[in-house]
Amino acid sequence: MSRHLNYREALREALREALTVDPRVFLMGEDVGRYGGTYAVTKGLLDEFGPERVRDTPLSELGFTGAGIGAALGGLRPVVEVMTVNFSLLALDQIVNTAALYHYMSGGQFSVPLVIRMATGAGRQVGAQHSHSFEGWYAGLPGIKVLAPATIEDARHMLAPALADPDPVLIFEHTVLYNLEGELADDCTVDICSAKVRRPGGDASIITYGGSLQKSLQAAEILAGEGISAEVVDLRVLRPLDDATIMASVAKCRRAVVVDEGWRSVSIAAEVMARIVEQVFYELDAPVSRVCTEEVPMPYARHMEDAALPQAGKIVAAVKGLFA
Amino acid sequence: MSIDHPAPPPPSGPVPYDKPLALALLADMLRIRRLEEKAAELYGAGKIRGFLHLYIGEEAVGVGVLHALQPEDNIVATYREHAHALVRGMDMGVLMAEMFGKREGCARGRGGSMHLFDRTTRLFGGNAIVGGGLPLAVGLALAAKMSSEGSLPQGNLLSGAVGGAVKQRITACFFGDGAVAEGAFHEAMNLAALWQLPVLFCCENNLYAMGTALERYESQTDLCVKAASYNMPARSVDGMDVVAVHRAAEDAAAEVRSGAGPLFLELRTYRFRAHSMFDAELYREKAEIDEWKSCGPIHTYSGRLKAEGKLTEEEFLALDAAAGAEVARAVDFAEAGTWEPVADLLKDVHTAVGAAP
Ligand SMILES: Cc1ncc(C[n+]2csc(CCOP(=O)(O)OP(=O)(O)O)c2C)c(N)n1
Ligand SMILES: [Mg+2]
């Protein structure tokens, strides 16, 4: 059995479930309560669970993220929402200098079971200060896990294992996905350690995540019409990367394109390519290629924003380029 | 020559304690002093490396506040935290071993002098980001408040019931005057006051942030005014007087524990030594240091105890000798310690599967 719902509703169900089953769980962030969440993810939860557990905060990203770390150390299971990844830079110190390293630095004495959710990505013409994809920066940090749910299933089911994890987990929700609709099977379970093949194929691997998954699937469809069978791999977990799934796909297809909405320099794409070269270089029939965001601050005008971002057409061209 | 930061008059007046408590305060100040004098020496000998920040001169602050707290309370401290770890109950040998970088240290040698952690005494670091501990303290207090008011499961070490009965756990957060200029201070003060959280903010105002004096970096040098602007009670205390600190902290802790919300204590003190071991002290006059030394917390306090007949010279010498012997044992323990095998380098980046956080 399955049912139809959207990504936002799936996230909300996951939060509602977490609040219901575990009294230690509470939500905290700017406008998560009365306003209903910037992207309406937490809408209705204040009425259901009250202001102690759906906690509106001042505009203090550093303060409330740090308070989330403290509450986690104190035995609670906070889910902190940061409006967008851009604003998370104001909380960077607490994430990088405290959450990520407390377990190690304390010689294993303290763990920080904290979940931080935030919106990321471009595509809605909200300009350069609201559109960037910094998840790749976070994915470079030892001590945390980084998730990028790109499907209804992951939106619904990644939160529970993230909360069960004893260490900090960051969840990046691409803003164009909130209205994504789909079917959710009643009996599905997900993990937070593996990449998944979203469309099997045999001629080329398209390795992607988050907001670029739909574009990659479109590209695979177009390529199929032209006789190229592309396999689409959804990374899902940006740290730690699931090398086994990536390498199995690349070794099978012998050609690979990495699609990443981050800027290309020092990106997730760069990391995945480096690992492919390290691990399956001799399986390759062509150099690894990538499609990333152009290295500009995100422009506002629609056509310019489109031009800056990875698109299905660019992915198709990159895959074809591997057969040139 | 005039002094930039004149010292207050030396602490005086009666010591309103029975002999055991009166001597316990003195003993702890001596333990810190002797430990840190030895640490400085061992730094010179290359046994301790990295950054080493001494608390010498400020002992009355940590001792006075920590003696006013309960074992179930949370402590958040800075990189200048040997005193806090020691007075809270960390074994001096374990502390010394951590400074040596030995596996027998509290953090297995991964933290060092600035990152002392102790789960059993609820010391949550040892934070070397100026202001970094303040938001953490707010969160710990939030957890304590929600646990004591709500229906949270009790029993695990970090969230557990306090002595069975519902009693409020408070979080004491130590930070320097320099932290007051950071955004983290203001965000944390606002959150704690807005949510009426049980945090005791303890500002160790030694008048300098490294080499920059308070009036050279703050437009408002009355730190209590800043705290008061967040609608929380704020008191300034003579941090050279262990009695004044202890009494102020007892009152403050009781108020915070009663649910009255957070409270700010400014503990006015002075560091007798350099900021760290890499400081040529170009920014202050020796005369200023000497003037503050004349109201040093240990000799003024022991002088008062003697004047009241609560302490004899023999007793003083015995306490001092005991502190010295403890330091010697701690050094032996650290020396005999072992190095964590390099094979364990990657251990504990993440919590081991199955471990209870
Ligand atoms: C965010 C940050 N900025 C700068 C430093 C470097 N630093 C270490 S201690 C210190 C001075 C802090 O002074 P204060 O808060 O008064 O504490 P004190 O050392 O006097 O105890 C500075 C600037 C730091 N550790 N963290
Ligand atoms: Mg200072």
Side-chain angles (χ1 to χ4, degrees):
Chain A
M1 282 294 290
S2 74
R3 64 206 163 88
H4 195 80
L5 76 171
N6 69 27
Y7 185 91
R8 172 186 292 111
E9 290 160 349
L11 291 169
R12 187 185 306 139
E13 276 191 22
L15 291 167
R16 180 183 291 117
E17 177 184 68
L19 286 160
T20 306
V21 302
D22 188 344
R24 299 170 305 174
V25 171
F26 71 104
L27 316 186
M28 168 161 67
E30 291 156 7
D31 285 316
V32 296
R34 202 68 79 81
Y35 185 91
T38 306
Y39 297 95
V41 170
T42 51
K43 197 165 160 213
L45 298 179
L46 172 66
D47 291 339
E48 277 178 68
F49 297 98
E52 292 285 304
R53 301 187 66 207
V54 180
R55 197 170 268 272
D56 281 319
T57 65
L59 293 166
S60 299
E61 289 81 7
L62 177 74
F64 68 74
T65 301
I69 297 167
L73 283 167
L76 301 183
R77 291 293 179 277
V79 179
V80 167
E81 175 176 315
V82 180
M83 272 189 187
T84 83
V85 68
N86 306 271
F87 316 147
S88 79
L89 302 188
L90 282 81
L92 205 51
D93 166 58
Q94 286 292 326
I95 298 171
V96 176
N97 282 322
T98 302
L101 42 70
Y102 246 46
H103 188 65
Y104 194 86
M105 194 167 77
S106 68
Q109 291 187 78
F110 292 113
S111 298
V112 181
L114 168 69
V115 172
I116 306 177
R117 298 174 41 242
M118 58 187 113
T120 186
R124 299 180 316 122
Q125 285 193 268
V126 289
Q129 291 183 327
H130 288 72
S131 300
H132 290 143
S133 292
F134 297 132
E135 54 273 13
W137 293 0
Y138 289 103
L141 291 177
I144 63 169
K145 294 198 172 93
V146 178
L147 313 183
T151 62
I152 305 293
E153 182 181 83
D154 279 348
R156 176 62 186 85
H157 291 299
M158 272 184 155
L159 182 66
L163 276 165
D165 196 287
D167 298 315
V169 179
L170 271 52
I171 304 180
F172 290 90
E173 301 160 5
H174 196 290
T175 50
V176 302
L177 294 174
Y178 285 121
N179 291 323
L180 178 77
E181 311 239 338
E183 293 296 310
L184 179 69
D186 289 343
D187 58 352
C188 64
T189 53
V190 310
D191 62 53
I192 55 167
C193 59
S194 66
K196 261 206 167 79
V197 174
R198 297 294 185 193
R199 176 185 173 121
D203 298 333
S205 302
I206 302 176
I207 301 159
T208 189
Y209 72 93
S212 300
L213 174 61
Q214 294 301 322
K215 293 172 180 175
S216 297
L217 290 168
Q218 284 162 22
E221 190 63 32
I222 295 167
L223 288 162
E226 301 185 23
I228 297 174
S229 157
E231 173 153 299
V232 178
V233 177
D234 174 7
L235 292 172
R236 301 178 64 248
V237 183
L238 305 184
R239 185 181 189 93
L241 283 170
D242 174 10
D243 286 0
T245 301
I246 299 169
M247 301 315 152
S249 178
V250 176
K252 178 177 74 175
C253 299
R254 311 182 80 89
R255 290 177 169 83
V257 172
V258 187
V259 183
D260 173 3
E261 200 179 303
W263 289 307
R264 62 193 286 128
S265 302
V266 202
S267 57
I268 292 280
E271 178 62 27
V272 171
M273 291 168 83
R275 289 178 187 221
I276 290 171
V277 170
E278 283 171 343
Q279 297 177 44
V280 291
F281 182 78
Y282 292 109
E283 311 296 324
L284 292 171
D285 284 345
V288 191
S289 170
R290 63 178 145 169
V291 179
C292 298
T293 290
E294 298 298 331
E295 302 214 336
V296 292
M298 195 59 64
Y300 160 71
R302 167 101 274 160
H303 67 295
M304 294 292 274
E305 185 180 39
D306 284 348
L309 291 170
Q311 303 294 356
K314 293 188 192 176
I315 302 168
V316 168
V319 171
K320 285 186 181 167
L322 301 178
F323 295 89
Chain B
M1 198 199 71
S2 81
I3 285 171
D4 284 346
H5 305 99
S12 59
V15 177
Y17 302 130
D18 59 15
K19 191 160 175 171
L21 176 56
L23 295 198
L25 298 175
L26 178 62
D28 271 345
M29 290 198 288
L30 283 166
R31 292 170 71 223
I32 298 163
R33 180 70 59 99
R34 299 301 171 233
L35 167 70
E36 291 205 322
E37 285 168 347
K38 191 63 173 182
E41 187 187 316
L42 291 166
Y43 195 92
K47 293 286 183 186
I48 298 174
R49 299 279 74 197
F51 283 119
L52 178 71
H53 305 89
L54 302 180
Y55 204 58
I56 290 176
E58 307 186 29
E59 293 92 341
V61 172
V63 170
V65 173
L66 291 166
H67 273 267
L69 300 179
Q70 301 297 323
E72 66 268 15
D73 293 336
N74 299 319
I75 313 296
V76 176
T78 72
Y79 46 86
R80 199 182 294 288
E81 88 291 32
H82 309 143
H84 311 73
L86 191 67
V87 178
R88 266 309 263 192
M90 185 182 290
D91 178 87
M92 197 188 283
V94 169
L95 199 167
M96 189 67 88
E98 185 62 33
M99 295 203 277
F100 275 52
K102 295 285 179 82
R103 175 157 63 172
E104 289 72 15
C106 60
R108 295 218 309 277
R110 276 135 177 236
S113 157
M114 303 192 288
H115 303 302
L116 303 175
F117 290 85
D118 190 5
R119 195 177 158 107
T120 51
T121 63
R122 309 187 68 86
L123 172 65
F124 292 87
N127 199 316
I129 303 298
V130 170
L134 285 134
L136 206 73
V138 169
L140 282 162
L142 178 62
K145 186 175 188 203
M146 287 176 72
S147 309
S148 73
E149 287 174 357
S151 54
L152 290 174
Q154 306 281 352
N156 106 37
L157 174 72
L158 293 178
S159 67
V162 174
V166 177
K167 184 172 149 196
Q168 187 62 66
R169 187 201 299 288
I170 75 171
T171 300
C173 180
F174 294 87
F175 52 97
D177 47 288
V180 170
E182 295 281 3
F185 168 81
H186 297 274
E187 296 191 18
M189 297 291 280
N190 182 47
L191 278 175
L194 183 71
W195 293 342
Q196 289 292 287
L197 301 178
V199 187
L200 179 58
F201 290 102
C202 301
C203 180
E204 303 174 309
N205 181 5
N206 59 15
L207 303 169
Y208 290 89
M210 283 181 60
T212 308
L214 183 64
E215 69 280 4
R216 293 184 56 230
Y217 70 80
E218 279 295 331
S219 59
Q220 169 57 271
T221 56
D222 183 343
L223 304 185
C224 286
V225 171
K226 289 176 180 286
S229 80
Y230 290 100
N231 247 339
M232 81 173 76
R235 291 164 204 161
S236 187
V237 183
D238 179 2
M240 305 309 280
D241 180 356
V242 71
V243 176
V245 173
H246 183 253
R247 306 213 84 189
E250 278 206 318
D251 291 347
E255 282 174 57
V256 172
R257 206 179 300 283
S258 76
L263 196 147
F264 177 89
L265 286 182
E266 180 202 10
L267 304 141
R268 297 182 64 84
T269 184
Y270 199 83
R271 115 175 108 63
F272 293 173
R273 297 290 188 103
H275 167 74
S276 73
M277 306 311 273
F278 298 99
D279 170 10
E281 292 190 77
L282 304 174
Y283 49 85
R284 60 181 187 179
E285 300 291 337
K286 190 163 176 308
E288 180 180 296
I289 305 172
D290 288 341
E291 183 175 312
W292 279 85
K293 278 185 176 167
S294 70
C295 61
I298 297 179
H299 74 85
T300 56
Y301 180 62
S302 60
R304 288 155 77 188
L305 290 176
K306 283 180 189 162
E308 285 185 35
K310 285 186 173 142
L311 177 76
T312 65
E313 180 63 14
E314 293 67 44
E315 284 170 324
F316 178 85
L317 292 174
L319 286 178
D320 201 21
E326 187 182 3
V327 171
R329 284 195 306 277
V331 174
D332 289 346
F333 178 82
E335 283 285 6
T338 55
W339 304 109
E340 183 171 25
V342 173
D344 286 351
L345 179 66
L346 299 184
K347 211 176 139 203
D348 286 332
V349 173
H350 291 281
T351 307
V353 181

